[in-house]
Amino acid sequence: MNKNATSRKVARPSLPSPPIAARKPHQVLSPNGPRDDSYYWLRDDTRKSKEVLNYLNDENAYANSFLAPTQALQDELFEELVGRIKQDDASVPVLRRGWWYYTRYETGREYPIYARRRRTMSAPEHVMLDGNTLAAGKTFYQIGAWSVSPNGRMLAYAEDDVGRRQYKLRVKNLDTGKVLADTVSNIEPNLVWANDNKTLLYVEKDPVTLLSVRVRKHVVGADPVKDKLVYEERDHSYYLRLTRSKSEKYLFIVLRSTLQSEWHYANADDPKLKFRTVIPREPNHEYQVAHIGRDFVLRTNWEAPNYRLVRAPIAKVADKRTWKDVIPARDDAFLQSFEVFRNYVAVNERSGGLMKLHVRSWNGKRDYVIASAEPSYTTQLMPTPGIESAKVRYIYTSLTTQRTTYEYDMTSDRKTVLKTEPVLGGFGSANYRTEYLHATASDGALIPISIAYRVGTKRDGTAPLYQYAYGSYGLSTDPAFIPNWVSLMDRGFVVAIAHVRGGQEMGRAWYDEGRLLNKKNTFTDFIAVTRHLVREKYAARDKVFAQGGSAGGLLMGAIANLAPSDYRGVVANVPFVDIVTTMLDESIPLTTNEFDEWGNPKDKVFYDYMMSYSPYDNVIAKSYPAMLVTSGLWDSQVPYWEAAKWVAKLRAVKTDRHPLLFKINMQAGHGGKSGRFERLRETAIEYQFILTSLTS
């Protein structure tokens, strides 16, 4: 299937005028002086203001009117996207304590079914949760986490039926199938059982900031009002979560800020669950912990910016003199994550900008990296239960190779394919090609680029380009297979991931060079990638489309201000575009956690720098690309009003006649709609917006 990207024109009837938001004087105060924000009134924490809701509904009505003539194309794209899904698919089963656990879908149904089988996969199926039944009658539904008690008889799960990530704890007796009365609201989707099979730890959220602040202990059947406090974190620059050691011996409370971490551990058999500190928090020290035998294994950046793996006795682990290097630090490799086994350790490392799998025996006699023949790929280590196992699981994928789950025997070097993700609709990997390129940034840095396209796409400067990036929090964007992108490649697009600074693809320095007072590197890197691909004739100068979401939406807002003529269209999903006002307000979720990422605008140095790139504050009267902006009314990560204010200001001052559409989901949050097919409806809208923008 090779579709012409410019094959169809859509005749548009006369449309109603876009909604124009009122301007209302409002002073945003800061230690660095006040500034006027005429659209501040669009912020409504209650989400009940008739004036605000009317405006948002008007924006949706305008977007729907504009998109109505493209309904046939939307439907075509939606059917195409759905047509690649094996609708009755299932995950690779995982063996835990005598049960094989897996998730599966049924044809035509939106939500997963969580199931298990005793000892063998030929045993009768036991359905633990049916997401379709639980979601019935709801406009949004999500199971954020589930955890089975050690004896396999009780199931705890966290559900959200709003989209605001304020989950509710529920407990189900798997023997009887009865959902118990035990209910706790406003928690994180993060649950851990103690070994007594009745005590459950959960993380309580602050009702205003939604930050994770307290760990409580719930005993099944007891009144949740009496749940005892286990730990409270008063420094709100830290996130809080729970985990369990692979050995099943320890429970961990994990505290993490941008630059520091601290772990606490308790014996899972201890009736009192007395937690001790692994290593007290200290400036710029981040670490993670695993348990094996009498030792803890740490991934640590102490005197190792790209991290190293060390092993130390549990009783002496806080004394760094007891640490023994397992995998020493390297300047040319970033240690991303690890899995411990009785005789081996498996590590995901980044070298040359790509994720690779490094396996090493504890005695050092076996030490090797699993290689790939493709120029751009990802080898992703998977959590593998069973500390005694000699087999590790990983996923191999690239922009043109669908995800394949392997089980690798670390003693024999044999690997077994457990599953290759099915991609229907006539997809064949051989029909596509991927490359790994580099663009030169304005300061000389080489920016990695992963690209893919259909075989036969001409490199003559005529192809449209779809370019994606994220570039914040040290989160790397790996070149993994995205089935939806096939629809673009089949229509002649080159798709590209710009591995810009702010991620960690090239190591810790890559992150540091894209945060705080270096944040503008993220934006100029993205633009440099665009110009490189145009210059090298991978793409047409006037057919470039950019897409990003959340912090990647900030990137979209920045490039729209800095280089609007480089982009035909921009798609900004749940964009973080009002950075200064948000970071001045510590009542908003995430703000206090992120001062080390963006800076604290109460400090004039950071205030001035953030103001110089804040997308909302830098909108001026000039021509902008065609833009599609999306948000969710119940978004707890990036409040809807950031996008609403940005769009309102753009409408008021931009000088072009290019489309500016704002789609706000009134029943969802940061992640959009919850059903697997409903999400594809949103993707179909994005793709038709891009395709019709090529012909308008």
Side-chain angles (χ1 to χ4, degrees), residues 417-436:
V417 174
L418 298 182
K419 179 184 178 181
T420 297
E421 179 182 278
V423 182
L424 308 182
F427 172 80
S429 183
N431 295 324
Y432 304 86
R433 182 170 298 159
T434 184
E435 297 184 36
Y436 193 57

Side-chain angles (χ1 to χ4, degrees), residues 115-411:
R116 63 180 184 173
R117 297 176 191 264
R118 184 71 166 167
R119 296 191 179 89
T120 71
M121 284 301 291
S122 60
E125 180 180 74
H126 178 199
V127 173
M128 299 184 297
L129 295 171
D130 184 340
N132 302 284
T133 301
L134 294 168
K138 299 179 175 69
T139 56
F140 182 96
Y141 187 78
Q142 186 176 68
I143 295 173
W146 57 273
S147 181
V148 177
S149 61
N151 64 6
R153 300 180 64 183
M154 305 296 290
L155 171 71
Y157 62 101
E159 62 179 6
D160 176 13
D161 59 8
V162 174
R164 191 151 169 75
R165 299 190 179 185
Q166 292 179 282
Y167 289 86
K168 182 183 295 182
L169 167 66
R170 305 304 305 270
V171 179
K172 183 176 182 178
N173 185 318
L174 292 175
D175 288 343
T176 66
K178 181 182 178 181
V179 176
L180 307 183
D182 306 59
T183 302
V184 181
S185 298
N186 196 33
I187 69 165
E188 292 282 357
N190 186 205
L191 308 166
V192 174
W193 289 93
N195 283 350
D196 64 1
N197 298 295
K198 63 181 182 180
T199 302
L200 185 67
L201 296 184
Y202 64 88
V203 178
E204 183 179 78
K205 305 180 81 164
D206 183 279
V208 176
T209 66
L210 305 190
L211 292 172
S212 48
V213 290
R214 285 174 287 275
V215 175
R216 291 194 182 274
K217 178 170 60 175
H218 177 70
V219 177
V220 175
D223 184 352
V225 173
K226 299 179 180 179
D227 286 355
K228 291 183 178 180
L229 179 68
V230 175
Y231 180 88
E232 181 170 11
E233 180 53 49
R234 299 188 182 277
D235 183 343
H236 288 177
S237 68
Y238 283 84
Y239 293 100
L240 187 61
R241 69 179 177 89
L242 302 164
T243 189
R244 183 184 182 96
S245 69
K246 187 173 183 174
S247 65
E248 309 278 3
K249 184 172 182 178
Y250 292 108
L251 308 183
F252 293 110
I253 297 173
V254 183
L255 296 146
R256 180 182 62 83
S257 70
T258 303
L259 299 177
Q260 289 88 228
S261 58
E262 181 177 271
W263 287 53
H264 301 256
Y265 68 101
N267 192 310
D269 289 316
D270 178 9
K272 296 183 179 179
L273 288 181
K274 181 180 179 181
F275 280 86
R276 300 172 175 85
T277 304
V278 178
I279 302 172
R281 68 190 68 175
E282 49 196 335
N284 301 312
H285 186 202
E286 298 177 72
Y287 67 92
Q288 290 82 40
V289 184
H291 166 245
I292 184 166
R294 298 180 178 180
D295 297 341
F296 279 153
V297 180
L298 308 179
R299 172 185 175 260
T300 170
N301 68 349
W302 181 261
E303 298 182 343
N306 280 343
Y307 291 85
R308 56 178 167 147
L309 208 64
V310 302
R311 185 168 177 170
I314 294 172
K316 300 179 179 180
V317 68
D319 182 354
K320 299 182 180 67
R321 294 172 298 181
T322 68
W323 293 4
K324 293 184 179 180
D325 273 349
V326 176
I327 297 181
R330 289 168 50 190
D331 291 336
D332 63 343
F334 178 82
L335 200 160
Q336 180 76 40
S337 61
F338 69 103
E339 280 274 304
V340 297
F341 300 86
R342 181 67 62 197
N343 297 314
Y344 293 87
V345 61
V347 172
N348 255 154
E349 67 177 33
R350 296 185 182 279
S351 55
L354 299 172
M355 183 89 87
K356 301 170 185 177
L357 182 59
H358 182 181
V359 176
R360 186 184 189 278
S361 60
W362 290 114
N363 61 20
K365 292 182 179 180
R366 297 179 62 79
D367 193 338
Y368 46 91
V369 174
I370 297 175
S372 169
E374 290 188 284
S376 178
Y377 63 92
T378 301
T379 308
Q380 177 68 57
L381 181 65
M382 297 296 292
T384 310
I387 201 162
E388 301 292 340
S389 176
K391 297 177 181 179
V392 62
R393 288 183 178 184
Y394 68 92
I395 290 176
Y396 178 86
T397 182
S398 76
L399 289 178
T400 59
T401 303
Q402 61 262 58
R403 290 172 172 81
T404 300
T405 303
Y406 289 93
E407 189 166 70
Y408 187 80
D409 190 317
M410 295 176 282
T411 59

Side-chain angles (χ1 to χ4, degrees), residues 8 90 118 153 180 293 373 413 466 481 517 537 604 611 638 664:
R8 126 179 9 219
R118 184 71 166 167
R153 300 180 64 183
L180 307 183
D413 292 344
Y466 178 89
F481 186 73
L517 299 176
K537 297 188 181 300
K604 182 169 172 52
M611 279 295 295
V638 181
I664 178 166

Side-chain angles (χ1 to χ4, degrees), residues 372-511:
S372 169
E374 290 188 284
S376 178
Y377 63 92
T378 301
T379 308
Q380 177 68 57
L381 181 65
M382 297 296 292
T384 310
I387 201 162
E388 301 292 340
S389 176
K391 297 177 181 179
V392 62
R393 288 183 178 184
Y394 68 92
I395 290 176
Y396 178 86
T397 182
S398 76
L399 289 178
T400 59
T401 303
Q402 61 262 58
R403 290 172 172 81
T404 300
T405 303
Y406 289 93
E407 189 166 70
Y408 187 80
D409 190 317
M410 295 176 282
T411 59
S412 67
D413 292 344
R414 295 180 62 182
K415 60 182 179 181
T416 303
V417 174
L418 298 182
K419 179 184 178 181
T420 297
E421 179 182 278
V423 182
L424 308 182
F427 172 80
S429 183
N431 295 324
Y432 304 86
R433 182 170 298 159
T434 184
E435 297 184 36
Y436 193 57
L437 313 170
H438 291 84
T440 303
S442 54
D443 62 358
L446 295 179
I447 314 302
I449 318 165
S450 296
I451 71 167
Y453 50 86
R454 189 177 176 93
V455 172
T457 301
K458 294 180 180 179
R459 185 176 160 186
D460 61 359
T462 62
L465 171 66
Y466 178 89
Q467 183 176 318
Y468 171 83
Y470 186 74
S472 290
Y473 306 110
L475 298 177
S476 301
T477 307
D478 294 307
F481 186 73
I482 302 174
N484 295 344
W485 285 8
V486 175
S487 287
L488 295 174
M489 290 189 287
D490 282 350
R491 288 171 170 81
F493 275 76
V494 173
V495 297
I497 297 173
H499 302 289
V500 296
R501 282 175 283 190
Q504 245 165 184
E505 288 93 333
M506 301 295 290
R508 178 68 184 207
W510 205 245
Y511 172 40

